[in-house]
Amino acid sequence: MAPMSLLTYQDVRPWARSIKAKVSSREMPPWFIDKHVGIQKFKNDPSLTDDEIATMVKWVDDGAPQGNLADMPPPRNFSDLDTWHIKPDVVFKTPKPYILKAQGPDEFVDVTIDPGFKEDVYISAVETKPVEAATFKVIHHATTNLIEDDDDPTGLFLNEYAVGKGADVFPPNSGRLIKAGSKINFNLHLHPDGEQTSVQIAIGLKLFPKGDVPKYVAFHSCPN
Ligand code: HEM
Protein backbone atom coordinates (compact mmCIF):
# COMPACT_ATOMS: atom_id res chain seq x y z
CA MET A 1 0.00 0.00 0.00
CA ALA A 2 3.01 2.30 0.27
CA PRO A 3 3.89 4.26 -2.87
CA MET A 4 6.96 2.13 -3.52
CA SER A 5 8.47 -1.25 -2.74
CA LEU A 6 11.36 -1.45 -0.29
CA LEU A 7 12.22 -5.12 -0.75
CA THR A 8 15.60 -4.84 -2.47
CA TYR A 9 18.58 -2.51 -2.37
CA GLN A 10 17.72 -1.37 -5.91
CA ASP A 11 14.18 -0.50 -4.75
CA VAL A 12 15.40 1.36 -1.68
CA ARG A 13 18.38 3.34 -3.01
CA PRO A 14 16.42 6.06 -4.88
CA TRP A 15 14.40 6.74 -1.72
CA ALA A 16 17.36 7.15 0.65
CA ARG A 17 16.96 10.86 1.35
CA SER A 18 13.20 10.57 1.71
CA ILE A 19 13.66 7.58 4.04
CA LYS A 20 15.97 9.64 6.24
CA ALA A 21 13.37 12.40 6.46
CA LYS A 22 10.36 10.13 7.11
CA VAL A 23 12.12 7.83 9.57
CA SER A 24 13.79 10.56 11.62
CA SER A 25 10.51 12.47 11.92
CA ARG A 26 8.87 9.15 12.97
CA GLU A 27 6.30 9.41 10.20
CA MET A 28 7.52 5.98 9.02
CA PRO A 29 6.99 3.17 9.78
CA PRO A 30 3.46 4.22 10.74
CA TRP A 31 2.84 4.19 14.50
CA PHE A 32 0.44 6.72 15.88
CA ILE A 33 1.42 6.71 19.55
CA ASP A 34 2.93 9.97 20.80
CA LYS A 35 6.41 9.03 22.05
CA HIS A 36 6.39 11.80 24.65
CA VAL A 37 3.20 11.21 26.58
CA GLY A 38 1.31 8.38 28.22
CA ILE A 39 1.68 4.61 27.93
CA GLN A 40 4.66 3.55 25.82
CA LYS A 41 4.73 -0.23 26.19
CA PHE A 42 2.57 -1.97 23.61
CA LYS A 43 2.53 -5.48 22.22
CA ASN A 44 3.62 -5.70 18.57
CA ASP A 45 5.00 -2.16 18.55
CA PRO A 46 6.64 -1.82 15.11
CA SER A 47 8.15 1.61 15.73
CA LEU A 48 11.92 2.05 15.50
CA THR A 49 14.23 2.65 18.45
CA ASP A 50 16.37 5.80 18.52
CA ASP A 51 19.40 3.59 17.77
CA GLU A 52 17.73 2.03 14.74
CA ILE A 53 16.84 5.47 13.44
CA ALA A 54 20.41 6.68 14.03
CA THR A 55 21.73 3.67 12.04
CA MET A 56 19.48 4.45 9.08
CA VAL A 57 20.30 8.16 9.17
CA LYS A 58 24.04 7.41 9.27
CA TRP A 59 23.67 5.00 6.35
CA VAL A 60 22.02 7.73 4.27
CA ASP A 61 24.60 10.33 5.36
CA ASP A 62 27.36 7.89 4.30
CA GLY A 63 25.90 7.82 0.77
CA ALA A 64 23.52 4.84 1.22
CA PRO A 65 26.10 2.21 0.19
CA GLN A 66 25.07 -1.33 -0.69
CA GLY A 67 27.73 -2.79 1.58
CA ASN A 68 29.27 -6.23 1.37
CA LEU A 69 26.86 -8.57 -0.43
CA ALA A 70 28.24 -11.51 1.58
CA ASP A 71 26.79 -9.91 4.74
CA MET A 72 23.31 -9.56 3.26
CA PRO A 73 20.65 -11.60 5.07
CA PRO A 74 18.39 -13.81 2.92
CA PRO A 75 15.28 -11.99 1.69
CA ARG A 76 12.27 -12.29 3.90
CA ASN A 77 9.60 -14.74 2.80
CA PHE A 78 6.05 -13.48 2.90
CA SER A 79 3.14 -15.90 3.17
CA ASP A 80 1.13 -16.65 0.05
CA LEU A 81 -2.00 -14.56 -0.37
CA ASP A 82 -4.26 -17.57 0.08
CA THR A 83 -2.69 -18.57 3.41
CA TRP A 84 -4.87 -18.36 6.50
CA HIS A 85 -2.98 -17.10 9.54
CA ILE A 86 -5.17 -19.20 11.80
CA LYS A 87 -6.36 -22.77 11.26
CA PRO A 88 -10.06 -22.05 10.81
CA ASP A 89 -12.55 -24.76 11.77
CA VAL A 90 -15.16 -23.18 9.52
CA VAL A 91 -14.94 -20.82 6.56
CA PHE A 92 -17.86 -18.83 5.15
CA LYS A 93 -17.68 -17.02 1.81
CA THR A 94 -19.78 -14.31 0.31
CA PRO A 95 -22.15 -16.42 -1.81
CA LYS A 96 -21.15 -15.26 -5.28
CA PRO A 97 -18.37 -13.05 -6.62
CA TYR A 98 -19.27 -9.37 -6.89
CA ILE A 99 -18.12 -8.04 -10.26
CA LEU A 100 -16.48 -4.66 -9.75
CA LYS A 101 -16.39 -2.44 -12.83
CA ALA A 102 -13.01 -1.43 -14.28
CA GLN A 103 -13.66 2.29 -13.81
CA GLY A 104 -15.79 4.41 -11.56
CA PRO A 105 -16.03 5.82 -8.08
CA ASP A 106 -15.34 3.73 -4.98
CA GLU A 107 -18.14 1.31 -4.15
CA PHE A 108 -19.48 0.19 -0.81
CA VAL A 109 -21.14 -3.21 -0.92
CA ASP A 110 -23.00 -4.99 1.87
CA VAL A 111 -23.50 -8.75 1.80
CA THR A 112 -25.19 -10.65 4.61
CA ILE A 113 -24.82 -14.39 5.01
CA ASP A 114 -26.32 -16.91 7.39
CA PRO A 115 -23.58 -19.16 8.79
CA GLY A 116 -26.29 -21.49 10.09
CA PHE A 117 -25.27 -21.69 13.75
CA LYS A 118 -28.13 -23.49 15.53
CA GLU A 119 -26.45 -23.15 18.94
CA ASP A 120 -24.33 -20.46 20.58
CA VAL A 121 -20.66 -20.84 19.70
CA TYR A 122 -17.54 -19.17 21.03
CA ILE A 123 -14.64 -18.33 18.76
CA SER A 124 -10.98 -18.15 19.76
CA ALA A 125 -9.77 -16.57 16.51
CA VAL A 126 -11.18 -14.91 13.44
CA GLU A 127 -9.73 -13.80 10.11
CA THR A 128 -11.32 -12.11 7.10
CA LYS A 129 -9.66 -12.07 3.70
CA PRO A 130 -10.20 -12.05 -0.05
CA VAL A 131 -10.65 -15.42 -1.73
CA GLU A 132 -8.92 -14.60 -5.03
CA ALA A 133 -5.57 -12.86 -5.42
CA ALA A 134 -7.00 -10.28 -7.85
CA THR A 135 -9.32 -8.92 -5.15
CA PHE A 136 -6.41 -7.67 -3.03
CA LYS A 137 -5.75 -4.93 -5.59
CA VAL A 138 -9.19 -3.37 -5.32
CA ILE A 139 -10.12 -3.86 -1.69
CA HIS A 140 -9.67 -1.06 0.77
CA HIS A 141 -11.34 -2.94 3.59
CA ALA A 142 -13.80 -5.71 4.34
CA THR A 143 -15.37 -5.43 7.76
CA THR A 144 -17.59 -8.07 9.26
CA ASN A 145 -20.41 -7.48 11.73
CA LEU A 146 -22.51 -9.93 13.68
CA ILE A 147 -26.23 -9.37 13.20
CA GLU A 148 -27.96 -10.89 16.21
CA ASP A 149 -31.28 -9.27 15.55
CA ASP A 150 -32.71 -8.50 12.10
CA ASP A 151 -34.19 -5.27 13.54
CA ASP A 152 -30.65 -4.04 14.21
CA PRO A 153 -28.99 -4.44 10.82
CA THR A 154 -25.81 -2.65 11.97
CA GLY A 155 -24.96 -5.34 14.48
CA LEU A 156 -21.71 -5.70 16.38
CA PHE A 157 -18.29 -5.24 14.85
CA LEU A 158 -16.56 -8.60 14.50
CA ASN A 159 -13.39 -8.34 12.44
CA GLU A 160 -11.74 -6.51 9.57
CA TYR A 161 -9.51 -7.17 6.62
CA ALA A 162 -7.33 -4.28 5.43
CA VAL A 163 -3.84 -4.21 3.95
CA GLY A 164 -1.34 -5.91 6.23
CA LYS A 165 -3.97 -7.27 8.59
CA GLY A 166 -3.67 -10.87 9.79
CA ALA A 167 -6.05 -12.61 12.15
CA ASP A 168 -7.50 -11.58 15.49
CA VAL A 169 -6.43 -14.27 17.95
CA PHE A 170 -7.91 -14.01 21.43
CA PRO A 171 -5.66 -14.63 24.43
CA PRO A 172 -5.96 -18.04 26.14
CA ASN A 173 -9.35 -18.78 27.68
CA SER A 174 -11.01 -15.81 26.07
CA GLY A 175 -13.14 -15.45 23.00
CA ARG A 176 -16.16 -14.00 21.39
CA LEU A 177 -19.74 -15.25 21.50
CA ILE A 178 -21.69 -15.86 18.31
CA LYS A 179 -25.29 -16.34 19.32
CA ALA A 180 -27.38 -19.03 17.64
CA GLY A 181 -29.07 -17.66 14.54
CA SER A 182 -26.66 -14.72 14.13
CA LYS A 183 -25.92 -13.57 10.62
CA ILE A 184 -22.64 -12.16 9.38
CA ASN A 185 -22.61 -8.94 7.39
CA PHE A 186 -19.65 -8.13 5.14
CA ASN A 187 -19.13 -4.46 4.32
CA LEU A 188 -16.75 -4.04 1.40
CA HIS A 189 -15.05 -0.80 0.38
CA LEU A 190 -13.88 -1.33 -3.20
CA HIS A 191 -11.72 0.85 -5.41
CA PRO A 192 -11.87 0.19 -9.18
CA ASP A 193 -8.37 -0.20 -10.56
CA GLY A 194 -8.70 -0.23 -14.36
CA GLU A 195 -9.70 -3.88 -14.76
CA GLN A 196 -13.01 -5.59 -14.11
CA THR A 197 -12.39 -7.58 -10.93
CA SER A 198 -14.18 -10.41 -9.25
CA VAL A 199 -14.55 -9.82 -5.52
CA GLN A 200 -15.25 -12.59 -3.08
CA ILE A 201 -14.45 -12.50 0.63
CA ALA A 202 -14.17 -15.27 3.21
CA ILE A 203 -14.26 -15.29 6.99
CA GLY A 204 -12.58 -18.09 8.91
CA LEU A 205 -13.47 -18.90 12.52
CA LYS A 206 -11.67 -21.03 15.06
CA LEU A 207 -14.25 -22.46 17.44
CA PHE A 208 -14.08 -23.47 21.08
CA PRO A 209 -15.00 -27.16 21.47
CA LYS A 210 -18.77 -27.65 21.69
CA GLY A 211 -20.02 -26.80 25.18
CA ASP A 212 -16.84 -24.96 26.25
CA VAL A 213 -17.36 -21.44 27.54
CA PRO A 214 -14.23 -19.27 27.78
CA LYS A 215 -13.62 -17.52 31.09
CA TYR A 216 -13.42 -14.10 29.40
CA VAL A 217 -15.87 -13.10 26.71
CA ALA A 218 -15.02 -10.08 24.61
CA PHE A 219 -17.88 -7.87 23.53
CA HIS A 220 -16.12 -6.40 20.53
CA SER A 221 -13.22 -7.95 18.72
CA CYS A 222 -9.98 -7.88 20.65
CA PRO A 223 -6.96 -8.05 18.32
CA ASN A 224 -4.06 -9.76 20.04
C1 HEM B 1 11.07 1.26 8.05
C2 HEM B 1 9.98 1.08 7.30
C3 HEM B 1 9.47 2.14 6.35
C4 HEM B 1 10.14 3.09 5.66
C5 HEM B 1 11.64 3.35 5.62
C6 HEM B 1 9.15 3.86 4.89
C7 HEM B 1 9.44 4.91 4.06
C8 HEM B 1 8.50 5.71 3.41
C9 HEM B 1 8.79 6.89 2.62
C10 HEM B 1 10.19 7.42 2.31
C11 HEM B 1 7.61 7.41 2.17
C12 HEM B 1 7.40 8.66 1.31
C13 HEM B 1 7.13 8.26 -0.11
C14 HEM B 1 6.83 9.46 -1.03
O1 HEM B 1 7.39 10.55 -0.80
O2 HEM B 1 6.05 9.30 -1.97
C15 HEM B 1 6.56 6.55 2.67
C16 HEM B 1 5.21 6.73 2.43
C17 HEM B 1 4.24 5.82 2.78
N1 HEM B 1 4.41 4.66 3.50
FE1 HEM B 1 6.16 4.04 4.37
N2 HEM B 1 7.90 3.33 5.13
C18 HEM B 1 8.05 2.29 6.01
C19 HEM B 1 7.04 1.48 6.50
C20 HEM B 1 5.75 1.53 6.06
C21 HEM B 1 4.72 0.60 6.44
C22 HEM B 1 4.94 -0.60 7.40
C23 HEM B 1 3.58 0.97 5.81
C24 HEM B 1 2.19 0.38 5.84
C25 HEM B 1 1.71 -0.36 6.82
C26 HEM B 1 3.87 2.16 5.04
C27 HEM B 1 2.95 2.85 4.28
C28 HEM B 1 3.21 4.05 3.63
C29 HEM B 1 2.19 4.85 2.95
C30 HEM B 1 0.71 4.52 2.84
C31 HEM B 1 2.84 5.97 2.44
C32 HEM B 1 2.20 7.12 1.66
C33 HEM B 1 1.84 8.17 2.65
C34 HEM B 1 1.26 9.39 2.01
O3 HEM B 1 1.39 9.57 0.78
O4 HEM B 1 0.71 10.20 2.77
N3 HEM B 1 5.18 2.46 5.22
N4 HEM B 1 7.13 5.53 3.41
Side-chain angles (χ1 to χ4, degrees):
M1 89 182 276
M4 67 289 174
S5 169
L6 298 178
L7 290 180
T8 66
Y9 176 75
Q10 284 68 27
D11 290 339
V12 168
R13 181 61 189 86
W15 293 97
R17 273 149 52 105
S18 177
I19 287 174
K20 175 180 168 181
K22 296 284 178 183
V23 163
S24 49
S25 64
R26 290 196 171 277
E27 275 176 67
M28 286 286 150
W31 178 246
F32 301 106
I33 303 295
D34 187 322
K35 287 277 176 192
H36 305 288
V37 62
I39 297 166
Q40 295 296 326
K41 246 185 120 203
F42 291 89
K43 270 189 195 168
N44 307 322
D45 174 352
S47 61
L48 302 176
T49 63
D50 291 341
D51 280 354
E52 287 168 330
I53 294 174
T55 303
M56 292 169 83
V57 168
K58 180 170 185 312
W59 171 72
V60 175
D61 289 344
D62 288 347
Q66 184 162 25
N68 185 351
L69 286 182
D71 295 337
M72 188 164 72
R76 196 171 149 185
N77 277 325
F78 292 94
S79 56
D80 291 335
L81 291 175
D82 59 359
T83 303
W84 289 97
H85 300 93
I86 56 174
K87 285 202 177 73
D89 296 309
V90 285
V91 172
F92 303 104
K93 294 179 186 169
T94 51
K96 61 177 170 56
Y98 177 81
I99 304 303
L100 180 70
K101 288 188 292 231
Q103 315 276 354
D106 283 20
E107 293 190 30
F108 293 83
V109 179
D110 275 290
V111 183
T112 303
I113 62 157
D114 182 352
F117 287 122
K118 303 270 181 288
E119 293 171 17
D120 289 1
V121 292
Y122 290 90
I123 59 170
S124 58
V126 49
E127 182 172 2
T128 306
K129 66 194 206 67
V131 174
E132 291 173 68
T135 304
F136 283 91
K137 227 166 42 137
V138 297
I139 187 137
H140 177 276
H141 74 240
T143 51
T144 53
N145 276 29
L146 281 176
I147 314 283
E148 293 180 346
D149 172 357
D150 289 341
D151 292 335
D152 172 19
T154 308
L156 303 166
F157 175 73
L158 178 60
N159 177 248
E160 179 190 43
Y161 167 77
V163 168
K165 177 81 193 279
D168 288 344
V169 180
F170 292 95
N173 217 356
S174 46
R176 185 82 192 267
L177 168 64
I178 301 184
K179 287 190 185 157
S182 295
K183 304 209 173 60
I184 297 175
N185 177 263
F186 293 81
N187 175 263
L188 316 179
H189 174 179
L190 306 172
H191 179 74
D193 191 43
E195 266 180 306
Q196 179 173 294
T197 309
S198 153
V199 175
Q200 195 173 19
I201 308 294
I203 185 168
L205 306 174
K206 218 169 147 38
L207 307 176
F208 275 84
K210 199 171 152 71
D212 271 18
V213 176
K215 185 169 175 199
Y216 304 102
V217 180
F219 176 67
H220 271 195
S221 198
C222 167
N224 184 18

